């Protein structure tokens, strides 16, 4: 189990870009770490599928901030939902615990306090219930729709029929 | 040049293309995340939100009925204490409005929509005002779903003097790993409790009524609770004797057991112990026995000094924070002094020690002989630094021959004037306080040779702290850093402060490396 002589690990993203990252950063990616440990000889280049170069840019940003103790300054606000979801999938693939927590919290923050209709439109979730099924599931979870902290529903399900 | 109709056609085409693009882009964005990732996200949301999302699509309905943790506490964020318990609990506990019972039927509903394949739930947490039968049914329902974690805070609906009985169905559960129960409830007899809880690793019981069984000597024995790692007992009214001997226990937290007279803790694996606001201060037959060889961290605060202490030495003890409690009119008799001494000898291997002000008052008032703390590297003292405390401080320094860091937190009681440092006294070679410290130099030789860092907080330029700071700078041969944090907030005294600072800097220091920082 020979280890690489240099302190940099080469990672190749799905769009072909090669990133040379510090060993410490590669260690936060459990998937990559597992590949390194599995390799018998020196491994020159580790391909990381599902991860694009713009993801790596953000990962490196996050790593730099967290090393400086400023991980709270990392923000994904500029990403739209698609981009956030893709980034979350990339980080999930790489198995990076801390950043995964940050991103799931970011998604949760975007979902919270929004009405059902809003969430549906925002994420484009298609309703595949029949009207009877919908009424049934709605009734079973009636309690969740009661209370003064609930926003009035946007009943666009009815409009879709 | 284009004709108008051609232009219109072009625009219509572009609009059509955009429509198509929009349609494509409105395909499900979030849903192609795998199930457990979405669960991970949903676990960060209040349960009401998650339940609402079950109507979005079939997949989202599935995500809801397989949702592992049912935490209904987000529905009512305030803890419950009814008026009858309020009387028993300290006056600083706030009163909250209890939740009405009909709101809890939905928990049963939520449990019922889970189908047979996905029956199991991981956690169930709620706060409610219920009748006992309702509570019992809910708990039984959860056990049937193989719940692993139960966190319940309940109160009876009616404001009577009645308390709950402990829901016995949890005792035999094989899946239950964590049980947290806060309510006014009675425990069943030990014989029934002892044989169950085979999988439990965390137990937290709060507001337990034990007048009918004041002695819990065989409930937490070596053979019961075989996997219990964390035990937390809070507000056990009527508890007089407690013995804890669970074999796997690692963390013990005992608080607000005001009637406690005897405590016996025997655990080969206990690493952390916290005992606060326990022991009956009015009783003169109290005792504590601790045999915890692997203890690393001890917090012992607001506990009356017991009449007898048996504290087996814990070689691994790393950190201890001690705050004895003494009644205002209380006197510490010889027996108690010996007991306090025995307590300290159990701490003799500690590396980091913090002492609260009352403990230092006891040390100031009475002559307690403590063996030196040879491993002590960090000492934190909370004290008003009155004249009578100075000797106790010198005594503690003597007991810390290899101390690295000294932290002094001066508690300033602004009502009582402490002796101010008088700049006119600067011309006099030494004040009474300075003379005292100078007289201590021989006995503090080792201390002065090792002390590296000093931090003083609440520095108000009174005679005692200025003298001490001066003394340490003048004689601390290994001193590297002294940080002085002022207790002042007004600028009026800044000139005074500057004077004192220049006085402190204006004499020779024993250590050439030393740096003083004023904050």
């Amino acid at each position: 189990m020979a280890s690489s002589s240099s302190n940099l690990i080469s990672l190749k993203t799905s769009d072909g870009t090669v990133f040379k990252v510090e060993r410490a950063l590669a260690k936060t990616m459990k998937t990559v770490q597992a590949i390194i440990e599995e390799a018998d000889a020196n491994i020159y280049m580790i391909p990381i599928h599902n991860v694009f170069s713009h993801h790596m840019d953000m990962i490196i940003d996050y790593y730099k901030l967290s090393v400086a103790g400023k991980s709270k300054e990392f923000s994904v606000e500029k990403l739209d939902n698609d981009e956030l979801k893709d980034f979350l999938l990339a980080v999930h693939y790489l198995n990076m615990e801390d950043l995964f927590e940050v991103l799931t919290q970011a998604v949760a923050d975007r979902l919270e306090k929004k009405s059902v209709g809003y969430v549906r439109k925002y994420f484009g979730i298609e309703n595949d219930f029949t009207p009877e099924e919908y009424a049934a599931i709605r009734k079973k979870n009636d309690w969740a729709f009661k209370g003064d902290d609930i926003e009035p529903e946007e009943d666009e399900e009815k409009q879709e029929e | 040049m284009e004709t108008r109709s051609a232009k219109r056609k072009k625009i219509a085409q572009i609009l059509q293309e955009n429509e198509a693009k929009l349609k494509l882009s409105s395909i499900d964005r979030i849903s192609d995340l795998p199930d457990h990732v979405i669960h991970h996200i949903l676990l960060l949301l209040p349960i009401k939100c998650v339940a609402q999302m079950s109507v979005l699509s079939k997949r989202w309905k599935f995500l809801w009925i397989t949702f592992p943790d049912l935490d209904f506490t987000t529905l009512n964020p305030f803890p419950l204490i009814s008026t009858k318990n309020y009387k028993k609990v300290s006056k600083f506990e706030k009163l909250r409005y209890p939740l009405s019972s009909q709101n809890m039927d939905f928990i049963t509903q939520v449990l019922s929509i889970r189908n047979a394949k996905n029956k199991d739930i991981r956690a169930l947490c709620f706060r409610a005002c219920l009748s006992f039968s309702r509570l019992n049914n809910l708990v039984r329902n959860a056990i049937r779903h193989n719940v692993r974690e139960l966190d319940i805070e309940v109160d009876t609906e009616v404001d009577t003097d009645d308390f709950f009985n402990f829901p016995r169905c949890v005792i035999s559960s094989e899946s239950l790993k964590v049980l947290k129960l806060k309510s006014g409830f009675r425990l069943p007899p030990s014989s029934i409790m002892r044989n169950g809880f085979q999988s439990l690793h965390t137990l937290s019981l709060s507001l337990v009524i034990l007048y009918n069984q004041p002695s819990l000597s065989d409930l937490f024995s070596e053979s019961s609770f075989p996997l219990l790692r964390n035990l937390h007992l809070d507000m056990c009214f009527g508890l007089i004797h407690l013995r804890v001997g669970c074999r796997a226990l690692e963390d013990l937290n005992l608080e607000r057991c005001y009637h406690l007279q005897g405590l016996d803790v025997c655990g080969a694996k206990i690493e952390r112990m916290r005992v606060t606001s326990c022991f009956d201060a009015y009783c003169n037959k109290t005792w504590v026995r601790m045999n915890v060889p692997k203890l690393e961290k001890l917090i012992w605060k607001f506990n009356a000094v017991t009449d007898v202490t048996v504290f087996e030495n814990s070689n691994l003890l790393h950190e201890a924070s001690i705050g004895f409690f003494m009644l205002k009119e209380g006197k510490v008799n010889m027996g108690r002094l010996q007991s306090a001494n025995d307590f300290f000898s159990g701490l003799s291997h500690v590396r980091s020690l913090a002492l609260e002000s009352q403990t230092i008052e006891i040390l100031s008032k009475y002559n307690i002989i403590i063996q030196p703390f040879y491993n002590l590297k960090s000492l934190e003292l909370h004290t008003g630094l009155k004249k009578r405390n100075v000797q106790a401080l010198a005594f503690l320094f003597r007991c810390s021959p290899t101390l690295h860091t000294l932290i002094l937190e001066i508690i300033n009681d602004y009502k009582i004037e402490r002796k101010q440092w008088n700049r006119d006294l600067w011309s006099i070679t030494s004040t009474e306080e300075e003379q005292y410290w100078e007289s201590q130099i021989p006995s503090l030789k080792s201390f002065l040779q090792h002390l590296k860092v000093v931090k003083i907080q609440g520095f108000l330029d009174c005679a005692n702290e200025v003298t001490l700071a001066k003394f340490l700078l003048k004689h601390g041969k290994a001193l590297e850093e002294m940080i002085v944090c002022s207790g002042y907030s007004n600028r009026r005294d800044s000139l005074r402060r500057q004077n004192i600072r220049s006085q402190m800097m204006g004499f020779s220091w024993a250590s050439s490396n030393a740096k003083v920082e004023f904050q």
Side-chain angles (χ1 to χ4, degrees):
Chain A
M1 207 102 26
S3 55
S4 174
S5 50
S6 76
N7 260 332
L8 298 174
I9 309 276
S10 293
L11 301 172
K12 186 170 178 183
T13 59
S14 353
D15 52 354
T17 322
V18 178
F19 285 83
K20 287 214 170 79
V21 299
E22 289 177 34
R23 195 170 270 276
L25 169 52
K27 265 200 161 145
T28 67
M29 307 174 183
K30 292 206 178 125
T31 315
V32 170
Q33 190 62 15
I35 296 174
I36 295 176
E37 282 169 10
E38 285 275 320
D40 288 330
N42 275 337
I43 189 164
Y44 292 115
M45 187 94 66
I46 300 173
I48 41 176
H49 311 295
N50 310 325
V51 185
F52 288 84
S53 38
H54 56 269
H55 295 146
M56 275 308 295
D57 287 330
M58 289 192 281
I59 290 172
I60 292 171
D61 270 345
Y62 177 76
Y63 176 71
K64 283 195 189 142
L65 282 172
S66 58
V67 161
K70 295 184 188 168
S71 47
K72 294 220 168 114
E73 289 180 20
F74 183 72
S75 163
V76 289
E77 274 174 41
K78 56 188 186 307
L79 299 177
D80 69 25
N81 293 320
D82 238 347
E83 293 166 343
L84 181 56
K85 183 217 72 185
D86 279 341
F87 190 28
L88 179 59
L89 278 171
V91 170
H92 178 247
Y93 167 77
L94 290 172
N95 201 347
M96 304 178 72
E97 257 182 59
D98 289 346
L99 190 48
F100 183 70
E101 297 291 330
V102 171
L103 296 182
T104 49
Q105 185 65 60
V107 177
D109 290 340
R110 291 191 189 193
L111 290 177
E112 188 168 0
K113 290 199 164 68
K114 299 288 191 293
S115 74
V116 173
Y118 184 96
V119 175
R120 182 191 294 291
K121 269 198 216 134
Y122 204 50
F123 293 108
I125 302 171
E126 255 195 65
N127 183 2
D128 53 354
F129 285 125
T130 67
E132 297 85 28
E133 287 173 339
Y134 179 82
I137 183 77
R138 177 71 176 72
K139 186 170 176 210
K140 278 210 181 122
N141 291 298
D142 214 14
W143 61 273
F145 292 91
K146 287 208 190 107
D148 23 296
D149 53 331
I150 306 296
E151 279 179 38
E153 261 173 283
E154 290 157 30
D155 247 337
E156 30 85 77
E157 282 76 28
K158 292 212 176 121
Q159 291 166 19
E160 269 175 44
E161 284 140 42
Chain B
M1 220 184 65
E2 283 180 328
T3 61
R4 245 198 242 151
S5 64
K7 244 195 186 166
R8 251 185 274 138
K9 264 199 191 159
K10 232 192 185 175
I11 294 171
Q13 207 182 23
I14 296 173
L15 280 174
Q16 254 187 10
E17 280 174 17
N18 281 347
E19 274 266 315
K21 259 197 232 161
L22 261 173
K23 270 234 169 95
L24 273 176
S25 64
S26 73
I27 55 170
D28 204 335
R29 291 170 205 153
I30 196 169
S31 290
D32 52 321
L33 292 169
D35 274 359
H36 67 274
V37 175
I38 301 194
H39 269 161
H40 207 107
I41 297 170
L42 294 178
L43 285 168
L44 297 167
L45 292 171
I47 200 163
K48 241 182 181 172
C49 289
V50 184
Q52 286 181 2
M53 290 186 206
S54 64
V55 306
L56 285 173
S57 75
K58 285 188 180 157
R59 187 194 176 203
W60 283 76
K61 175 186 170 186
F62 177 76
L63 286 169
W64 169 236
I65 62 175
T66 54
F67 197 57
D69 295 343
L70 301 176
D71 183 352
F72 292 96
T73 56
T74 47
L75 293 172
N76 48 323
F78 301 116
L80 309 170
I81 297 182
S82 78
T83 41
K84 67 175 185 293
N85 285 332
Y86 174 76
K87 284 181 221 141
K88 295 198 192 306
V89 165
S90 120
K91 57 184 171 178
F92 299 115
E93 297 277 348
K94 296 199 196 105
L95 198 64
R96 304 287 180 189
Y97 289 115
L99 196 68
S100 64
S101 63
Q102 61 229 61
N103 289 16
M104 287 301 133
D105 287 340
F106 55 78
I107 300 183
T108 318
Q109 237 177 319
V110 169
L111 290 173
S112 67
I113 62 173
R114 298 177 85 93
N115 57 32
K117 235 199 300 176
N118 302 293
K119 195 166 84 146
D120 290 3
I121 55 176
R122 198 167 61 186
L124 175 63
C125 317
F126 62 87
R127 278 191 208 109
C129 214
L130 296 173
S131 69
F132 178 62
S133 62
R134 264 218 167 91
L135 170 69
N136 216 15
N137 282 334
L138 266 174
V139 174
R140 221 179 305 146
N141 203 346
I143 300 283
R144 252 184 272 136
H145 283 80
N146 300 321
V147 67
R148 284 193 264 165
E149 183 174 331
L150 259 183
D151 185 343
I152 301 174
E153 187 181 332
V154 281
D155 208 347
T156 52
E157 287 172 295
V158 188
D159 189 29
T160 63
D161 273 325
D162 195 23
F163 298 106
F164 285 121
N165 288 319
F166 187 81
R168 294 192 185 189
C169 45
V170 304
I171 300 176
S172 51
S173 166
E174 298 205 343
S175 58
L176 196 63
K177 291 196 165 38
V178 176
L179 175 62
K180 294 185 189 171
L181 188 54
K182 182 169 179 176
S183 146
F185 65 90
R186 283 180 285 258
L187 280 184
S190 302
S191 49
I192 297 177
M193 297 270 281
R194 257 209 313 262
N195 299 324
F197 299 111
Q198 294 299 310
S199 310
L200 203 67
H201 67 65
T202 298
L203 178 63
S204 169
L205 299 175
S206 185
L207 274 177
V208 191
I209 311 297
L210 287 162
Y211 295 111
N212 58 329
Q213 31 170 347
S215 176
L216 282 184
S217 50
D218 57 352
L219 175 58
F220 299 108
S221 65
E222 280 78 358
S223 52
S224 57
F225 298 94
L227 297 179
L228 195 67
R229 292 200 302 263
N230 301 298
L231 178 60
H232 174 223
L233 297 174
D234 174 30
M235 288 199 274
C236 297
F237 300 118
L239 181 63
I240 296 180
H241 295 123
L242 175 66
R243 181 166 189 279
V244 179
C246 304
R247 252 180 289 150
L249 199 64
E250 290 171 16
D251 196 309
L252 174 63
N253 185 352
L254 207 58
E255 50 178 332
R256 300 187 282 194
C257 297
Y258 301 112
H259 301 124
L260 196 64
Q261 290 179 13
L263 175 65
D264 185 351
V265 181
C266 183
K269 290 206 172 154
I270 295 182
E271 290 173 15
R272 292 167 302 275
M273 230 175 100
R274 185 172 178 273
V275 179
T276 56
S277 304
C278 290
F279 293 104
D280 187 344
Y282 294 98
C283 174
N284 53 10
K285 283 180 296 171
T286 54
W287 54 269
V288 61
R289 187 165 26 230
M290 290 189 277
N291 187 348
V292 284
K294 290 238 164 73
L295 190 67
E296 288 176 22
K297 184 166 174 182
L298 175 66
I299 298 178
W300 188 269
K301 284 196 182 166
F302 309 122
N303 301 319
V305 182
T306 51
D307 294 282
V308 175
T309 302
V310 177
F311 189 171
E312 304 286 340
N313 222 309
S314 315
N315 296 345
L316 298 174
L317 190 60
H318 195 270
E319 229 180 287
S321 184
I322 311 293
F324 287 125
F325 167 78
M326 212 167 63
L327 291 171
K328 276 212 188 102
E329 61 275 13
K331 282 206 190 318
V332 183
N333 57 29
M334 278 308 294
R336 281 203 178 168
L337 286 181
Q338 180 59 45
S339 172
N341 183 19
D342 294 335
F343 191 93
F344 279 111
S345 52
L347 297 174
S348 58
H349 285 95
V350 73
R351 292 179 60 86
S352 171
L353 182 63
L355 296 178
E356 296 290 319
S357 62
Q358 281 213 336
T359 311
I360 298 184
E361 288 299 313
I362 294 175
L363 288 171
S364 309
K365 217 165 152 184
Y366 304 98
N367 227 345
I368 302 184
I369 303 171
I370 307 178
Q371 298 302 316
F373 299 108
Y374 289 113
N375 290 348
L376 194 64
K377 294 286 170 265
S378 167
L379 180 62
E380 184 178 321
L381 304 173
H382 297 230
T383 173
L385 204 52
K386 312 239 174 25
K387 186 167 176 177
R388 61 170 181 269
N389 301 130
V390 172
Q391 270 198 349
L393 252 60
F395 169 67
L396 285 166
F397 295 165
R398 271 204 300 281
C399 292
S400 320
T402 57
L403 195 69
H404 182 283
T405 305
L406 171 68
I407 302 169
L408 209 56
E409 294 238 5
I410 303 176
I411 302 164
N412 288 303
D413 184 354
Y414 291 95
K415 288 179 262 173
I416 300 173
E417 271 290 306
R418 287 193 291 138
K419 186 169 167 191
Q420 294 286 301
W421 175 258
N422 192 339
R423 55 191 279 249
D424 292 339
L425 291 174
W426 179 236
S427 50
I428 303 171
T429 30
S430 52
T431 61
E432 189 191 324
E433 288 88 7
E434 283 181 313
Q435 280 175 352
Y436 173 75
W437 283 112
E438 298 280 322
S439 72
Q440 297 297 306
I441 292 179
S443 62
L444 290 178
K445 193 164 164 215
S446 182
F447 171 78
L448 290 166
Q449 276 174 344
H450 286 89
L451 189 66
K452 292 200 177 49
V453 177
V454 177
K455 185 167 181 193
I456 307 179
Q457 286 190 317
F459 196 89
L460 275 186
D461 309 330
C462 296
N464 289 331
E465 56 251 37
V466 174
T467 317
L468 177 59
K470 253 184 85 177
F471 172 71
L472 293 173
L473 280 170
K474 223 170 154 185
H475 300 283
K477 298 196 181 69
L479 201 62
E480 286 170 14
E481 202 183 336
M482 180 180 284
I483 304 166
V484 178
C485 302
S486 173
Y488 281 130
S489 54
N490 46 2
R491 270 198 250 116
R492 170 169 57 112
D493 301 291
S494 65
L495 188 63
R496 232 184 102 79
R497 251 184 296 159
Q498 276 183 29
N499 278 335
I500 293 174
R501 279 179 207 186
S502 53
Q503 284 176 22
M504 276 176 63
M505 311 284 266
F507 55 87
S508 62
W509 296 349
S511 165
S512 49
N513 292 336
K515 271 183 295 184
V516 181
E517 194 187 312
F518 292 92
Q519 286 176 7

